[in-house]
Amino acid sequence: MRRPSWVPEDMDLDKPNAARVYDYYLGGSHNFEVDREMARKAMSMWPELPQIMRSNRAFLRRAVTFLAERGVTRFLDIGSGIPTFGAVHETARVIRPEAEVVYVDRDPVAVAHSRLLMQDDPRSAVVQADLRDVEDLMARPEVIEMLSAGEPVAVLLVAVAHFVSDDEDPWKLVGAIRDALPSGSALVLSHASLEARPDQAEDHQKLYRMTPTPLTMRTREQVTAMFAGFELVEPGVVHLPQWRPDQPDTVGEHPERIAGVAGVGFRP
């Protein structure tokens, strides 16, 4: 198999990769047959998965737009994955052309492709770091520079905290990030929901245990607890389609079938 230029030389292309599977769900081209096979297996158990992933990306765009409209120009996207159409820098700069973005991911495939896309963008940086090693992440020069101006920073944890196990304590990790943020900063967070489809949740979690990024689905109460120290904006932590939809009539009768919850909060 010919190795694309955006894939590191030491990357094993015979194993599915969560970032590439996500790219496939979004309709992207940065994935391989092994990733598509995993996605098809997941969709055979949970046909709504592509819709869930696209709803998650739509939430990201709405949240970034919401914050940019309120003057935020600095965005720290942790667990950014492989940038596709509607990435953070593209969305924010529609409103704030001066917006700066630091993309962070632990996946070398996501990082390699991000660096290729961002190499000519002086207001974007790409960092390979792991949310689970939050001290190392927050000590990276690119992150320190973003925080050093004392201006509000929007931290994006979109579909990433569910890849942190209970033993690794995502609540503590988010708290460490919160404590480093200037006043007026924001947290944007979405998370796989345990309550929406309990009949399918365990099978889906088993599937992700086959990858280097196992999935832990959580209740809305557990996700809301990650916003400790932030003031949630309306409508609070809700199902993905319910968070400030562009058109209310697009939410549908069963938003809980989009098995994720999301919210945005500001640090006082």
Side-chain angles (χ1 to χ4, degrees):
M1 176 178 174
R2 181 176 173 271
R3 182 178 295 271
S5 60
W6 52 272
V7 178
E9 287 296 328
D10 58 351
M11 175 57 58
D12 185 353
L13 302 185
D14 295 323
K15 294 181 180 179
N17 174 271
R20 297 195 305 252
V21 171
Y22 185 47
D23 176 73
Y24 174 72
Y25 287 137
L26 294 176
S29 60
H30 297 93
N31 53 77
F32 303 111
E33 180 55 32
V34 66
D35 308 304
R36 297 187 283 272
E37 181 180 355
M38 178 180 167
R40 288 191 290 267
K41 287 180 181 178
M43 287 186 288
S44 69
M45 295 186 294
W46 204 328
E48 297 93 345
L49 272 176
Q51 184 182 358
I52 292 169
M53 302 304 181
R54 289 166 189 167
S55 182
N56 187 71
R57 180 50 63 99
F59 160 71
L60 169 68
R61 291 196 292 267
R62 295 197 304 274
V64 169
T65 298
F66 170 80
L67 293 171
E69 288 175 343
R70 281 149 186 80
V72 177
T73 61
R74 294 168 180 256
F75 296 84
L76 176 59
D77 187 358
I78 301 173
S80 54
I82 299 174
T84 56
F85 177 77
V88 174
H89 68 285
E90 295 174 340
T91 303
R93 289 175 189 165
V94 170
I95 299 162
R96 300 287 171 186
E98 73 277 22
E100 301 177 9
V101 182
V102 175
Y103 290 107
V104 179
D105 207 287
R106 69 182 185 184
D107 184 342
V109 172
V111 169
H113 190 51
S114 297
R115 285 176 174 159
L116 181 64
L117 286 179
M118 298 292 103
Q119 61 183 345
D120 297 323
D121 187 333
R123 296 192 304 278
S124 294
V126 180
V127 175
Q128 184 171 353
D130 193 330
L131 172 61
R132 297 170 300 176
D133 189 353
V134 70
E135 291 185 6
D136 172 71
L137 191 163
M138 300 305 287
R140 296 302 182 94
E142 297 89 346
V143 177
I144 291 173
E145 182 178 356
M146 173 162 279
L147 295 172
S148 64
E151 298 178 8
V153 173
V155 174
L156 312 178
L157 294 175
V158 177
V160 65
H162 50 231
F163 292 119
V164 180
S165 70
D166 287 347
D167 290 343
E168 292 163 330
D169 200 343
W171 302 275
K172 181 178 179 180
L173 299 176
V174 175
I177 295 172
R178 176 201 63 221
D179 292 346
L181 296 177
S183 177
S185 293
L187 173 65
V188 176
L189 188 145
S190 67
H191 197 293
S193 171
L194 189 60
E195 297 152 315
R197 299 296 299 274
D199 56 321
Q200 296 176 335
E202 182 54 31
D203 284 342
H204 192 53
Q205 291 179 103
K206 284 181 180 178
L207 187 66
Y208 268 85
R209 291 185 196 120
M210 298 166 51
T211 78
T213 51
L215 184 73
T216 301
M217 304 175 83
R218 295 186 172 95
T219 67
R220 187 187 305 196
E221 181 180 8
Q222 289 174 309
V223 175
T224 301
M226 296 181 188
F227 284 94
F230 292 92
E231 295 179 350
L232 280 164
V233 301
E234 292 294 334
V237 176
V238 294
H239 298 295
L240 283 165
Q242 294 176 315
W243 197 88
R244 296 177 176 259
D246 295 327
Q247 298 177 330
D249 59 354
T250 63
V251 172
E253 296 182 3
H254 298 285
E256 74 280 358
R257 293 185 70 86
I258 304 300
V261 295
V264 173
F266 283 100
R267 186 178 187 196

